[in-house]
Amino acid sequence: QVQLAESGGGVVQPGMSLRLSCAGSGFTFSSYTMHWVRQAPGKGLEWLAAISHEGSLTYHADSVKGRFTISRDNSKNTLYMDMNNLTPEDTAIYYCAREPYTFVFYYYMTLWGNGTTVTVSS
Amino acid sequence: EIVLTQSPGTLSLSPGDRATLSCGASQTIGNNYLAWYQQKPGQAPRLLIYASYRRATGIPERFGGSGSGTDFSLTISRLEPEDFAVYYCQHHSNSHPAFGQGTKVEI
């Protein structure tokens, strides 16, 4: 079954760091561009970052650039988001998502995980 | 940075009605690379339309996309009960894709 499963969310204090993971299964993970998108409580979707299939190209939204870093380990079929210096405004559901076709950036997403919740609170 | 503005914020309709949702861009979207997603409470988004008018796999024909340049629309020809949800547009024209703020279609 083709699917994505996020993990690593939780409750953290402001200023702390967190690493999110996204495990892909049922498809050739190493062939697809991947993204992270978040959704604050009761708010809309916010694109955060994208990474090429082999990991050499990354793009980050200005809102998180310098604090968040997308990466991947294709040997483990896993996507990561390292998040530093978290603030309450980072409280959200974090989704990983896959593009529709292999090897090339299309910048839209056809496969989504169920999300993992990050709460930043003292 | 392309900013997308969706209107209206909320659309109150009945099953069987036609729904028209709008998405305006702050600058021309290259190749008309504009997508639409549907999101229901507690669920991840689902892709409906990409490249302005192309339906994603498995999406019913009642969902249609149109537009070009800076003005785009999603039309649902006859609302089914399962179509009441929040809809987001998203440009996919460059390395910094962005979403609109969403339109809620409610009964």
Side-chain angles (χ1 to χ4, degrees), chain A residues 35 37 39 43-48 50 59-62 65 95 100-101 106-115, chain B residues 1 33 35 37 39 42-47 49-51 56 88 90-101:
Chain A
H35 297 257
V37 175
Q39 186 168 35
K43 303 297 184 182
L45 302 170
E46 181 185 11
W47 174 81
L48 296 178
Y59 301 103
H60 296 81
D62 290 345
K65 202 168 188 177
Y95 295 100
Y101 303 110
Y106 289 89
Y107 303 114
Y108 66 96
M109 307 91 179
T110 50
L111 178 67
W112 295 69
N114 290 324
Chain B
E1 177 191 353
Y33 280 172
Y37 298 81
Q39 188 180 32
Q43 296 185 16
R46 176 176 71 142
L47 178 71
I49 301 287
Y50 63 97
Y88 295 94
Q90 178 229 326
H91 84 82
H92 53 101
S93 60
N94 62 34
S95 61
H96 284 68
F99 292 90
Q101 82 278 21

Side-chain angles (χ1 to χ4, degrees), chain A residues 1-5 22-27 111-113:
Chain A
Q1 185 178 1
V2 175
Q3 62 182 7
L4 297 169
C22 167
S25 58
F27 64 98
L111 178 67
W112 295 69

